[in-house]
PDB file of all heavy atoms in Angstrom:
ATOM      1  N   LEU L 226      -3.285  12.312 -16.358  1.00 96.00           N
ATOM      2  CA  LEU L 226      -4.353  11.428 -16.820  1.00 96.00           C
ATOM      3  C   LEU L 226      -5.072  12.017 -18.029  1.00 96.00           C
ATOM      4  O   LEU L 226      -5.387  11.309 -18.987  1.00 96.00           O
ATOM      5  CB  LEU L 226      -5.364  11.179 -15.695  1.00 96.00           C
ATOM      6  CG  LEU L 226      -5.100  10.042 -14.717  1.00 96.00           C
ATOM      7  CD1 LEU L 226      -6.312   9.832 -13.814  1.00 96.00           C
ATOM      8  CD2 LEU L 226      -4.749   8.745 -15.424  1.00 96.00           C
ATOM      9  N   ASP L 227      -5.334  13.321 -17.992  1.00 96.00           N
ATOM     10  CA  ASP L 227      -6.011  13.983 -19.115  1.00 96.00           C
ATOM     11  C   ASP L 227      -5.179  13.848 -20.395  1.00 96.00           C
ATOM     12  O   ASP L 227      -5.721  13.590 -21.481  1.00 96.00           O
ATOM     13  CB  ASP L 227      -6.240  15.458 -18.804  1.00 96.00           C
ATOM     14  CG  ASP L 227      -7.297  15.670 -17.722  1.00 96.00           C
ATOM     15  OD1 ASP L 227      -8.065  14.733 -17.442  1.00 96.00           O
ATOM     16  OD2 ASP L 227      -7.348  16.775 -17.155  1.00 96.00           O
ATOM     17  N   ALA L 228      -3.859  14.039 -20.266  1.00 95.00           N
ATOM     18  CA  ALA L 228      -2.985  13.911 -21.435  1.00 95.00           C
ATOM     19  C   ALA L 228      -2.987  12.483 -21.968  1.00 95.00           C
ATOM     20  O   ALA L 228      -2.998  12.255 -23.189  1.00 95.00           O
ATOM     21  CB  ALA L 228      -1.569  14.351 -21.070  1.00 95.00           C
ATOM     22  N   TYR L 229      -2.986  11.525 -21.053  1.00 96.00           N
ATOM     23  CA  TYR L 229      -3.030  10.112 -21.439  1.00 96.00           C
ATOM     24  C   TYR L 229      -4.327   9.797 -22.188  1.00 96.00           C
ATOM     25  O   TYR L 229      -4.312   9.144 -23.240  1.00 96.00           O
ATOM     26  CB  TYR L 229      -2.885   9.254 -20.193  1.00 96.00           C
ATOM     27  CG  TYR L 229      -3.309   7.813 -20.340  1.00 96.00           C
ATOM     28  CD1 TYR L 229      -2.429   6.862 -20.853  1.00 96.00           C
ATOM     29  CD2 TYR L 229      -4.581   7.402 -19.952  1.00 96.00           C
ATOM     30  CE1 TYR L 229      -2.815   5.539 -20.987  1.00 96.00           C
ATOM     31  CE2 TYR L 229      -4.970   6.080 -20.090  1.00 96.00           C
ATOM     32  CZ  TYR L 229      -4.083   5.155 -20.600  1.00 96.00           C
ATOM     33  OH  TYR L 229      -4.473   3.846 -20.736  1.00 96.00           O
ATOM     34  N   VAL L 230      -5.446  10.258 -21.650  1.00 96.00           N
ATOM     35  CA  VAL L 230      -6.741   9.986 -22.275  1.00 96.00           C
ATOM     36  C   VAL L 230      -6.825  10.677 -23.639  1.00 96.00           C
ATOM     37  O   VAL L 230      -7.302  10.095 -24.625  1.00 96.00           O
ATOM     38  CB  VAL L 230      -7.891  10.442 -21.360  1.00 96.00           C
ATOM     39  CG1 VAL L 230      -9.228  10.403 -22.097  1.00 96.00           C
ATOM     40  CG2 VAL L 230      -7.942   9.577 -20.107  1.00 96.00           C
ATOM     41  N   LYS L 231      -6.338  11.902 -23.721  1.00 95.00           N
ATOM     42  CA  LYS L 231      -6.384  12.648 -24.978  1.00 95.00           C
ATOM     43  C   LYS L 231      -5.552  11.971 -26.056  1.00 95.00           C
ATOM     44  O   LYS L 231      -5.950  11.923 -27.225  1.00 95.00           O
ATOM     45  CB  LYS L 231      -5.887  14.079 -24.755  1.00 95.00           C
ATOM     46  CG  LYS L 231      -5.987  14.964 -25.988  1.00 95.00           C
ATOM     47  CD  LYS L 231      -5.547  16.389 -25.687  1.00 95.00           C
ATOM     48  CE  LYS L 231      -5.660  17.267 -26.927  1.00 95.00           C
ATOM     49  NZ  LYS L 231      -5.222  18.662 -26.649  1.00 95.00           N
ATOM     50  N   ALA L 232      -4.386  11.425 -25.680  1.00 94.00           N
ATOM     51  CA  ALA L 232      -3.534  10.744 -26.655  1.00 94.00           C
ATOM     52  C   ALA L 232      -4.207   9.495 -27.211  1.00 94.00           C
ATOM     53  O   ALA L 232      -4.010   9.133 -28.382  1.00 94.00           O
ATOM     54  CB  ALA L 232      -2.202  10.380 -26.015  1.00 94.00           C
ATOM     55  N   ASP L 233      -4.996   8.802 -26.380  1.00 95.00           N
ATOM     56  CA  ASP L 233      -5.771   7.646 -26.804  1.00 95.00           C
ATOM     57  C   ASP L 233      -4.896   6.614 -27.534  1.00 95.00           C
ATOM     58  O   ASP L 233      -5.266   6.092 -28.584  1.00 95.00           O
ATOM     59  CB  ASP L 233      -6.927   8.088 -27.699  1.00 95.00           C
ATOM     60  CG  ASP L 233      -8.002   7.003 -27.857  1.00 95.00           C
ATOM     61  OD1 ASP L 233      -8.008   6.056 -27.037  1.00 95.00           O
ATOM     62  OD2 ASP L 233      -8.798   7.087 -28.809  1.00 95.00           O
ATOM     63  N   ALA L 234      -3.715   6.336 -26.946  1.00 94.00           N
ATOM     64  CA  ALA L 234      -2.759   5.446 -27.608  1.00 94.00           C
ATOM     65  C   ALA L 234      -2.658   4.085 -26.936  1.00 94.00           C
ATOM     66  O   ALA L 234      -1.867   3.244 -27.367  1.00 94.00           O
ATOM     67  CB  ALA L 234      -1.378   6.111 -27.628  1.00 94.00           C
TER      68      ALA L 234
END
Side-chain angles (χ1 to χ4, degrees):
L226 273 188
D227 290 343
Y229 163 84
V230 170
K231 184 177 180 180
D233 196 17

